[in-house]
Amino acid sequence: MQLSVTGIIRRFGPVAALGGVDLDVAEGEFLTILGPSGSGKTTLLKAIAGFEIPDEGAVRLGGQDVTLAPPRSREVGMVFQNYALFPHMSVAQNIAFPLEMRRRPRAEVRERVAEALRLVELDSFGDRLPRQLSGGQQQRVALARAIVFNPRLLLLDEPFGALDRKLRESLQLEVRRLQRRLKLTTLFITHDQEEALIMSDRIAVMDKGRIQQIGLPGELYARPASRFVADFLGESNLLEGRARNGVAELAGFGAVPLPPAQPDGKVTLLLRPEALRIGASTAALPCRAEAVVLDTVFLGQSAKLRLQLDGGTEMLARLPLRPSDPPPPPEGSRVALGFAPEDLHVVPQG
Amino acid sequence: MSSPRAETPGANRRLMARRREAGLLLLGLPALLLLALVFAWPVLRLLSLSVEGGTLAHFEKAALDGLYVTVLLDSLRIAALVTAICLALAYPVAFWLSRAGRLGLALGMFALLLPFWTSVLVRTYAWMVLLGRNGIVNRMLRDAGWIEAPLPLLHNTTGVLIGMVHVLLPYMVLPIYAALLRVDPDLSRAAEGLGAPAWRSFLRVTFPLSLPGVSAGCALVFVLSLGFFITPALLGGGHVIMISMLIEQQVREFLEWPFAAALSTVLLLATLAIYALIGRLTRGARLATP
């Protein structure tokens, strides 16, 4: 069901944990709140789940104002960071809990628990206790428990944090598939930008109790609206310069053409590491410089290089590697680098 | 010098690992020796005293003479009552403490532990002053016009219960408090989010998970009550007789050491049986808690 948050403010003493948050999640949408710890994303989640009452603003679910409603009447399924499975109840009892609280007939409970267990591929685990399961299995039980009562909204609070990388990736895709299949409106909280890019329909980047930017993952990555978003989402080279008559003067690269209608004055330019090219292929590029390799990190399908321009500026480059490619330039070597001006994005000042 | 590790065969390594464990045992040795000397040895002596001369006559007397069975059952009944009252009073306190802020916790703990710093004897005499026919409690109730004749609060079971509950309450609160602290607050949040009203979330989640603390508190209070002496002796005024008082009487008045030993053995066995029973009843709860 559609979720709408308007003008939410929550103060703790003099500090505003939420400084006026507006957010709309469409029916069936998977929206991620991405932010560092202390950005207010957990407080926002609590206000939506009903564990926290905001000082100002409103939370609406399917048009109904639930700002002051207790958690139990909101019909919101939530997966906690540590799963919060009831340790003294079996997996089946855990999943049956929300149905029992709604006083569903016993036969229906049994049927829906079995269905939920099938959905998360834990058919034969109903009788086990949570602590007899692996972390990934516990996570799936928590998910089954959160969706078994057909909630109006699914909240996921950093549910993959405690899992190892391989498992995390497969569960992320599994959750995503399930969410699409059930058309569940979902709000996902994370500080992991990679996770946000993998899973979301849209991402809202949060910092200092406010939403800094909201949009499609590709949009946020290519055209961040602030330095913070550029820095937080993916790796970045942020270049400072002065614009005059549509051209910016950048240390090392000289004059770089800017997009049309760029006013004169200070500019911050974003260049993603994969847009910076190295070696012979740079000869044809309009913006070129020379640099020393500070270090090279081999990552398998690519290599990450930290470079220092002659002027002292440090830059990051990501070099795609095919098996037939020569090894990346070693530390201490001198390389030519360059980029195409259309790969630059002007980061709005603020 | 060659590396010693490379030459050490597996058996030798196990020996070294065992030595390390033995080192830990050594640290516990003084306490173990003390316990053996002042506890295990006297208990064994007591046991042997009760069957002195190779006869079970003392146990026979304890079992067949109606008085001793009645007193033992009475003691069990009072211990059970004290435990039940302590549990009813202590659980809400422990629950509140487990959720109190820093100041509330400090004040609560202070109030709870304050009586520990006063001798049981002093506290028991204080209760005698409070509960007597013309004691403070009766006078206040009469002045308020709530009663006409003074309530019988002293020298009966009521007085004994009040005094014992007062002394033993912290032994119930602390284990329950510790157990409640270990219950993740996200669990009750999860329960409420899944549709449980607060009371159902408590009954289905928080309470079952605190059972190990409840069981520890009950065992502690019950066992301590069963052998309690000073408080029932003074507040009961001879009208409430606990098994410990009979044992004392046998020793002090009749110098009947073997019979006192037999009664003590019965008390010890009863205590162990209760302990095992409580442990058994709450085994499931303990297994399920992480």
Side-chain angles (χ1 to χ4, degrees):
Chain A
M1 211 164 280
Q2 192 235 353
L3 167 75
S4 155
V5 171
T6 42
I8 285 220
I9 294 178
R10 178 73 176 103
R11 299 183 197 87
F12 293 107
V15 192
L18 294 176
V21 173
D22 296 291
L23 185 69
D24 278 291
V25 187
E27 173 135 26
E29 188 182 20
F30 193 114
L31 187 131
T32 298
I33 307 279
L34 174 67
S37 54
S39 59
K41 57 188 195 301
T42 302
T43 313
L44 177 62
L45 185 84
K46 282 184 173 169
I48 293 169
F51 301 125
E52 185 81 64
I53 293 197
D55 298 321
E56 287 171 44
V59 178
R60 285 191 193 82
L61 256 177
Q64 177 198 356
D65 190 332
V66 295
T67 317
L68 304 175
R72 66 171 185 279
S73 62
R74 294 192 183 202
E75 300 289 314
V76 169
M78 178 157 168
V79 177
F80 288 73
Q81 210 165 359
N82 56 2
Y83 317 137
L85 295 177
F86 307 128
H88 57 304
M89 296 185 201
S90 72
V91 166
Q93 285 171 327
N94 263 282
I95 300 175
F97 188 86
L99 300 173
E100 275 168 28
M101 291 303 127
R102 285 165 181 75
R103 303 188 190 282
R104 307 312 305 165
R106 198 167 287 193
E108 185 196 326
V109 171
R110 208 174 316 128
E111 197 179 305
R112 284 172 73 176
V113 167
E115 193 188 329
L117 279 171
R118 251 195 320 277
L119 211 56
V120 296
E121 289 165 28
L122 288 172
D123 309 54
S124 56
F125 290 80
D127 294 330
R128 304 238 191 138
L129 285 175
R131 67 192 167 96
Q132 294 168 316
L133 303 181
S134 71
Q137 290 167 338
Q138 289 184 21
Q139 206 262 346
R140 273 143 66 191
V141 174
L143 184 68
R145 190 180 66 175
I147 61 178
V148 72
F149 60 102
N150 295 330
R152 302 197 281 183
L153 173 72
L154 177 63
L155 299 176
L156 305 168
D157 184 10
E158 309 221 12
F160 305 110
L163 304 172
D164 66 70
R165 196 185 169 84
K166 264 228 160 75
L167 188 60
R168 197 160 63 205
E169 280 173 11
S170 76
L171 276 171
Q172 282 164 356
L173 296 176
E174 203 177 307
V175 167
R176 188 74 177 101
R177 265 198 302 274
L178 205 61
Q179 183 267 338
R180 286 226 175 106
R181 183 137 66 96
L182 303 174
K183 297 189 178 60
L184 263 169
T185 312
T186 303
L187 194 67
F188 175 60
I189 300 278
T190 185
H191 65 268
D192 184 331
Q193 42 106 7
E194 203 179 322
E195 202 164 87
L197 291 174
I198 291 173
M199 302 193 68
S200 322
D201 290 325
R202 280 192 304 155
I203 299 176
V205 178
M206 234 182 133
D207 186 42
K208 300 194 179 92
R210 285 169 189 280
I211 289 178
Q212 303 293 325
Q213 189 178 2
I214 183 162
L216 303 173
E219 203 174 284
L220 259 62
Y221 187 77
R223 290 182 294 282
S226 68
R227 262 193 99 99
F228 175 80
V229 177
D231 217 23
F232 196 70
L233 204 68
E235 287 171 324
S236 54
N237 293 301
L238 288 165
L239 308 167
E240 305 282 353
R242 289 204 81 80
R244 188 168 339 136
N245 302 328
V247 170
E249 197 64 38
L250 286 183
F253 290 96
V256 172
L258 293 174
Q262 174 63 37
D264 290 355
K266 215 176 143 226
V267 281
T268 304
L269 299 169
L270 167 69
L271 185 70
R272 293 293 184 189
E274 62 273 20
L276 192 61
R277 271 178 271 168
I278 282 175
S281 65
T282 57
L285 291 167
C287 310
R288 286 194 306 273
E290 291 218 334
V292 178
V293 178
L294 293 178
D295 45 56
T296 301
V297 180
F298 177 67
L299 294 168
Q301 77 278 43
S302 66
K304 199 156 84 178
L305 278 73
R306 204 155 59 86
L307 307 153
Q308 189 167 36
L309 301 189
D310 293 343
T313 318
E314 276 187 28
M315 292 189 83
L316 276 179
R318 197 179 260 266
L319 208 60
L321 288 178
R322 275 164 307 182
S324 59
D325 281 338
E331 282 170 36
S333 55
R334 256 191 106 70
V335 291
L337 40 116
F339 60 87
E342 53 270 29
D343 282 334
L344 277 180
H345 166 69
V346 181
V347 181
Q349 299 289 329
Chain B
M1 210 178 103
S2 63
S3 156
R5 218 188 303 167
E7 291 163 20
T8 312
N12 245 341
R13 290 198 190 179
R14 293 274 64 79
L15 190 71
M16 285 166 75
R18 261 203 299 279
R19 258 189 219 153
R20 236 176 263 175
E21 284 160 28
L24 279 180
L25 188 65
L26 212 61
L27 291 174
L29 209 54
L32 287 177
L33 278 177
L34 186 72
L35 276 179
L37 201 68
V38 306
F39 181 72
W41 173 245
V43 165
L44 286 175
R45 280 283 296 147
L46 206 65
L47 284 175
S48 67
L49 207 59
S50 65
V51 291
E52 213 175 39
T55 166
L56 289 174
H58 300 301
F59 285 100
E60 220 178 298
K61 185 176 162 196
L64 294 181
D65 190 325
L67 170 70
Y68 302 108
V69 177
T70 312
V71 169
L72 183 64
L73 289 179
D74 244 19
S75 305
L76 287 170
R77 188 176 60 90
I78 287 178
L81 273 172
V82 170
T83 309
I85 297 170
C86 276
L87 180 59
L89 292 177
Y91 202 101
V93 176
F95 191 80
W96 174 74
L97 280 177
S98 73
R99 273 149 182 72
R102 201 186 282 245
L103 185 69
L105 181 63
L107 286 176
M109 277 293 171
F110 182 73
L112 189 68
L113 296 177
L114 191 64
F116 265 151
W117 305 329
T118 329
S119 112
V120 176
L121 204 59
V122 172
R123 277 186 280 162
T124 303
Y125 277 116
W127 277 118
M128 292 174 79
V129 175
L130 286 168
L131 297 177
R133 269 185 73 82
N134 285 307
I136 295 170
V137 173
N138 267 322
R139 240 182 299 152
M140 274 172 57
L141 289 176
R142 227 170 346 177
D143 291 348
W146 289 347
I147 53 167
E148 303 206 330
L151 292 175
L153 296 174
L154 195 60
H155 298 152
N156 56 17
T157 311
T158 313
V160 172
L161 288 180
I162 292 174
M164 283 174 73
V165 165
H166 176 226
V167 173
L168 294 172
L169 199 58
Y171 294 98
M172 187 66 93
V173 175
L174 292 175
I176 298 177
Y177 165 72
L180 282 170
L181 271 194
R182 287 179 46 201
V183 179
D184 181 355
D186 266 354
L187 291 180
S188 48
R189 243 178 249 145
E192 282 175 52
L194 292 168
W199 63 273
R200 289 188 89 178
S201 146
F202 174 79
L203 282 185
R204 289 289 305 275
V205 178
T206 313
F207 182 70
L209 290 173
S210 70
L211 277 180
V214 171
S215 121
C218 284
L220 212 57
V221 169
F222 193 92
V223 166
L224 286 172
S225 315
L226 206 51
F228 228 69
F229 179 71
I230 297 176
T231 305
L234 291 176
L235 294 178
H239 299 277
V240 182
I241 301 188
M242 302 273 287
I243 186 101
S244 57
M245 291 150 73
L246 279 190
I247 297 171
E248 188 254 9
Q249 191 187 38
Q250 292 297 326
V251 171
R252 199 166 49 91
E253 286 177 30
F254 309 132
L255 295 175
E256 267 284 0
W257 280 91
F259 186 56
L263 286 179
S264 304
T265 307
V266 170
L267 178 59
L268 182 64
L269 290 178
T271 306
L272 288 176
I274 299 288
Y275 211 78
L277 188 71
I278 293 179
R280 223 198 158 77
L281 285 179
T282 55
R283 195 164 164 262
R286 260 180 300 134
L287 281 182
T289 23

